[in-house]
Amino acid sequence: MGSPARGTRASRVGRAVRALAAASVACATMVACATVPMTGPVVPGDGGDTPSDPYGGYVRLLPAGPQEGVGPEGLVGGFLKDMGSFEEDHKAARSYMFPALSDEWSPDGSVRVFGDLDAVGLETDVAADGLTATVRMRSSLVATIDDSGKYVQSDPGHLLEVPFELAREGGDPEGEWRIENMPDELILSQLDVERTHRPFNLYYFNPGSTALVPDPVYLPVSNDALAERLLNKLVAGPTDWLAPAVDSAFPEGIVPDVEIDAETAVIRVDGVGQIDEFEMAAQVAWTLRQLPEVEEFTLVVNGDEVSFPDSDGESDERPRPASDYWSGVSPSAISAGIRAYFTHEGQLWSAADWGADTIGDAERVPGPLGAGDVQLERFAVSVDESTIAGITVGGGEVVTSLASPGAEVSEVLSDGTFTSVSWDVNGDLWVTEQTSDPEEESEEESGEDEPAEDEPAQDEPATDTDPAPEPGTTDLWLLRDGDEVVRVDISDLRDRSLVDFQISRDGTRAAVVTEVDGETSLQVGRVVSDSDGRVSVGSFITLGRELDEVTDITWRSSDQLAVLGNREGGTGQAFLVSLDGGTPASSAGTPVPGMVNISGAPGQPLVAGSDDGNIWITTDRLNWQKVVEGGSPTFPG
C-alpha cells in the first residue's frame, strides 16, 4: 500500500480503482357499513416480494349526499365525509355545491390530507341577513399530494385551514345551504386516502441509462382509467423532485394516445424524432407490470408498431411487461445470484444460498482484503462484485482492491477521518469524511491514541455509540472515472449532523441519517450533476417520521429502505421503509438485541450484525435466525 500523501485535502487524493461495471375490485356498500382498512396494500417494486393486487382493499362509497335542514357547519362536515367518494366524477361531493361551482370544480389530483375527521374544527360565521356564511375548517395537516402524485408528509404541528363560502338556495332564508366557493382540490382524511389511493412507481433512467429509477406517486384506484392515467403520467415526465436526477426516453411535451383493450395496452406517440425505442418500451414495461390486468402492450411510434423480439409476447409487436427482456435495466441494478459479504477474524468472506438457518458456499474473498493483509473497519462491495472498498482501522484511509487473486491494495483517500463507503451501478464510490478544525487536526497528526496499523479488526461493526459529528463537519467525496475525485455539495445538510450515508445502487438518490439536538431523522435526497461535472445531493425529504433513534440504513431495493431504529421509544429493531412517503414503516421481524448494522438487496433476505459478533438473517420478515459468527454483513452496493 502506498504511503499517505500529506498537505492540503486535495493532495490527499490517491488513485481510485474503478469497478468493472456496466380488473378493478369494487365492493358496493353504503357509507354506514363501509369498512375502512388502517393501511392500503404496498405495491412492491423490485424487492422480490410477490406482487399484490393494487385494487385490493378499495371500498366504494355511495353516500346519500346533503341532508335536509342542516346548518352551514353540518353541511361542510357532511361534505368532508362524502368527498372520499370518487364515483361518477365525485358526484356526491358536487351535490353539496351550487350548480355553477359544481360545473367549474375540477380537482387536478392534488390532495391535502388531514388527520381524523372527528378531530376537525369548524368555525362558522353567518352573515347578518342569514343568507351567506363562511365555514373555516381547521385540522392537522398530515401530508400533501401534488398534481403529479408526489406524496410528502408534513412537519408535525402543521395546521390545515380551509375556508368554505356558503349561501342559501334561491336567496331564500329557508333555503338549503350549499357551497358556492371552495378550493379546486381534494381535502381528504388520512383514512380516505388509505382507502382510495395506492402508491405506484413511474420509471425513468439514471444518467447513463444503466438502470431504471422508480418515481413513487399516489393515484386513486376508484375508477376504470388507472392504466391510462399511469401511462399518461409516465410520458408527461417525472415529479418535480426527481426530475433533475433522471432522464426519460419520451421527449418533453409529447401527448400520447393510450388505449386499453382487454388485456392489452396500446401507446401511440407521434411527432418524435430519433429516440431509443428499447428505453421507451422499458419504461412502459416496468410501469405496467404493477397492474395485473395488462398482460401485453404495443408501442406505436410515428405510426409504426415497434418490434421487440424475444420479449415473450404473442408477437414481436406485443411484448409482455413482466418479460425478462427488460431485466438488463432493472431498477434493482444488480444481477441475480449475488453474494453477501462479511468479516471474520479480520478477513473478508462471502457466501451464497442464505437459507432459513444456515448459509452455503462460504469462502474467503480472493485477494489481499480477503486474506486480511489490510485490516478494515468498514467496507463496501461494488455492484458487479469486482472491487472492494474499505476504510482502514482508525478511519484514516480509504483503500480499494480487486476481488481476485494477486490483486494489490490501492490507497485512494488518506489523512482523514472517513466514516462510510458505498457504490453505485456505474462503479462510482461515495465516501463520507468527518472534518475537524485546525487544532483538532494538529492533535490527530501528532499520532496520539492512533491504533497500530496492524491492529486486528474485530468482527463486530462500529456500534455508533460515538457522539454525532457537529453540523457542517462532514464532507462527501465521489470517486468516478477511475482517477477523478469530486467533492459533492451537501450544503442542504450543513445545519444538522450527518450520521450515515448510503447511495442508491442506481446512483440517483441517497439515504441519510441526520441528527439535530439529539434526535435522528431518516431522509432521502436526490443526486444532481451539472454540465460542468459538479455534483450535489440535496432537496431532502423526511421518511419514517414514526421512527426514533435510527442507527443504520441500507437500500433493500430501489424503492424501499431497511433501517435499524425503534418506534415511540420501543425496543430497537429492523424496519422496512417505503420511499412513497405514505406507507407506514413495517417491522422486519422480532427484535434481536444488539443489532448494529443491517443490509439488504432485491430478492435476498435481510442480514444483520449484532454486537456479540454474530450474523442474523430473516427470510420471512417474522423471525431472525443466527447463522454464522462474523460482523458487518453487507450485499453489493
Side-chain angles (χ1 to χ4, degrees):
M1 184 173 66
S3 60
R6 298 290 177 183
T8 65
R9 186 166 290 127
S11 71
R12 299 197 256 118
V13 176
R15 183 176 182 273
V17 176
R18 181 173 177 83
L20 306 176
S24 295
V25 174
C27 174
T29 178
M30 296 302 291
V31 64
C33 61
T35 301
V36 180
M38 290 303 294
T39 60
V42 177
V43 179
D46 58 317
D49 296 323
T50 301
S52 59
D53 180 4
Y55 308 100
Y58 172 68
V59 180
R60 293 180 62 192
L61 295 184
L62 303 177
Q67 304 300 301
E68 292 185 4
V70 297
E73 188 172 308
L75 186 86
V76 172
F79 173 77
L80 293 173
K81 184 177 181 180
D82 289 354
M83 193 180 280
S85 171
F86 284 67
E87 310 307 318
E88 300 181 54
D89 191 23
H90 304 282
K91 180 179 179 180
R94 295 181 193 277
S95 68
Y96 287 80
M97 307 174 186
F98 280 103
L101 177 61
S102 175
D103 293 341
E104 296 174 0
W105 188 63
S106 180
D108 58 6
S110 59
V111 183
R112 283 191 276 179
V113 186
F114 63 90
D116 187 349
L117 187 62
D118 293 336
V120 169
L122 297 176
E123 180 182 295
T124 304
D125 182 14
V126 180
D129 59 9
L131 298 180
T132 61
T134 298
V135 178
R136 295 188 179 277
M137 169 205 175
R138 290 189 176 90
S139 182
S140 60
L141 181 65
V142 173
T144 59
I145 304 174
D146 65 21
D147 57 1
S148 71
K150 185 68 175 177
Y151 186 109
V152 179
Q153 294 183 2
S154 297
D155 293 331
H158 202 100
L159 181 66
L160 170 65
E161 182 172 333
V162 182
F164 295 88
E165 296 179 9
L166 281 61
R168 288 190 180 272
E169 290 182 322
D172 183 352
E174 301 299 322
E176 297 291 342
W177 290 100
R178 293 293 181 264
I179 301 172
E180 64 176 359
N181 193 19
M182 60 163 289
D184 203 20
E185 63 185 345
L186 297 177
I187 304 162
L188 300 178
S189 70
Q190 188 171 12
L191 286 177
D192 272 337
V193 171
E194 292 169 354
R195 180 181 56 79
T196 60
H197 286 63
R198 298 291 179 268
F200 295 93
N201 288 329
L202 309 175
Y203 286 95
Y204 302 94
F205 278 97
N206 65 345
S209 298
T210 52
L212 285 164
V213 180
D215 191 5
V217 295
Y218 263 71
L219 297 178
V221 294
S222 53
N223 59 43
D224 299 328
L226 181 56
E228 291 95 324
R229 284 183 286 124
L230 201 60
L231 288 171
N232 277 298
K233 282 190 174 293
L234 173 70
V235 176
T239 60
D240 290 343
W241 183 83
L242 189 62
V246 296
D247 297 319
S248 177
F250 291 92
E252 188 175 353
I254 292 296
V255 178
D257 180 16
V258 178
E259 298 178 8
I260 307 296
D261 181 14
E263 300 172 345
T264 300
V266 180
I267 305 98
R268 294 183 174 86
V269 291
D270 295 312
V272 297
Q274 186 175 0
I275 59 170
D276 190 313
E277 295 171 341
F278 172 83
E279 290 187 0
M280 187 178 285
Q283 289 182 237
V284 171
W286 276 93
T287 300
L288 282 180
R289 66 172 56 191
Q290 300 167 102
L291 303 179
E293 69 270 26
V294 181
E295 297 187 1
E296 295 181 323
F297 69 93
T298 299
L299 179 63
V300 183
V301 178
N302 296 329
D304 296 324
E305 293 186 0
V306 182
S307 177
F308 298 101
D310 304 319
S311 56
D312 302 337
E314 291 185 2
S315 70
D316 290 348
E317 290 79 24
R318 298 177 66 180
R320 293 179 59 246
S323 171
D324 288 341
Y325 185 76
W326 320 105
S327 62
V329 291
S330 167
S332 69
I334 59 174
S335 60
I338 60 170
R339 303 173 71 86
Y341 296 75
F342 61 98
T343 60
H344 182 60
E345 297 181 348
Q347 300 169 333
L348 289 187
W349 288 68
S350 72
D353 302 323
W354 293 75
D357 56 3
T358 186
I359 61 173
D361 192 26
E363 59 184 23
R364 285 193 309 185
V365 175
L369 299 182
D373 294 347
V374 177
Q375 299 293 294
L376 301 181
E377 194 169 87
R378 289 176 173 84
F379 73 96
V381 182
S382 64
V383 172
D384 69 351
E385 301 185 78
S386 69
T387 309
I388 311 292
I391 300 173
T392 57
V393 172
E397 300 168 345
V398 178
V399 298
T400 61
S401 174
L402 294 175
S404 57
E408 296 182 352
V409 176
S410 296
E411 176 189 282
V412 294
L413 292 171
S414 64
D415 286 3
T417 304
F418 302 103
T419 55
S420 74
V421 285
S422 54
W423 295 89
D424 66 31
V425 70
N426 298 314
D428 295 334
L429 179 64
W430 300 72
V431 182
T432 55
E433 178 189 5
Q434 184 176 338
T435 59
S436 307
D437 62 41
E439 289 186 6
E440 290 174 328
E441 247 179 37
S442 176
E443 291 177 2
E444 290 171 3
E445 290 180 359
S446 70
E448 295 180 5
D449 300 323
E450 288 186 359
E453 207 171 278
D454 59 353
E455 179 182 334
Q458 302 297 314
D459 284 343
E460 303 86 21
T463 58
D464 295 320
T465 56
D466 294 334
E470 291 297 319
T473 60
T474 301
D475 284 344
L476 177 62
W477 302 97
L478 166 62
L479 282 70
R480 67 183 183 193
D481 296 333
D483 304 310
E484 184 181 6
V485 178
V486 177
R487 183 173 184 169
V488 181
D489 178 6
I490 52 171
S491 55
D492 281 7
L493 297 176
R494 289 305 181 193
D495 61 345
R496 67 202 83 169
S497 301
L498 180 58
V499 178
D500 198 4
F501 176 98
Q502 290 291 309
I503 195 68
S504 63
R505 292 181 177 93
D506 53 56
T508 64
R509 295 152 301 156
V512 301
V513 178
T514 61
E515 183 176 315
V516 175
D517 297 330
E519 295 187 1
T520 60
S521 177
L522 174 65
Q523 297 174 302
V524 171
R526 68 189 184 200
V527 178
V528 179
S529 301
D530 65 19
S531 58
D532 295 325
R534 292 186 294 258
V535 182
S536 65
V537 181
S539 298
F540 288 90
I541 294 176
T542 301
L543 300 174
R545 291 181 183 272
E546 65 273 29
L547 300 182
D548 300 323
E549 299 180 20
V550 178
T551 58
D552 198 46
I553 53 175
T554 185
W555 288 87
R556 177 180 171 264
S557 66
S558 65
D559 60 358
Q560 189 181 70
L561 303 172
V563 307
L564 295 180
N566 64 58
R567 182 153 37 199
E568 296 179 350
T571 303
Q573 64 181 102
F575 293 92
L576 298 177
V577 179
S578 172
L579 266 69
D580 63 51
T583 302
S586 60
S587 171
T590 305
V592 173
M595 279 188 178
V596 290
N597 80 292
I598 189 168
S599 187
Q604 301 293 329
L606 291 174
V607 297
S610 56
D611 57 10
D612 59 359
N614 287 297
I615 295 176
W616 302 71
I617 69 169
T618 177
T619 57
D620 58 10
R621 314 294 158 71
L622 296 175
N623 300 294
W624 289 85
Q625 302 288 333
K626 183 167 59 177
V627 292
V628 69
E629 292 184 357
S632 303
T634 184
F635 286 102

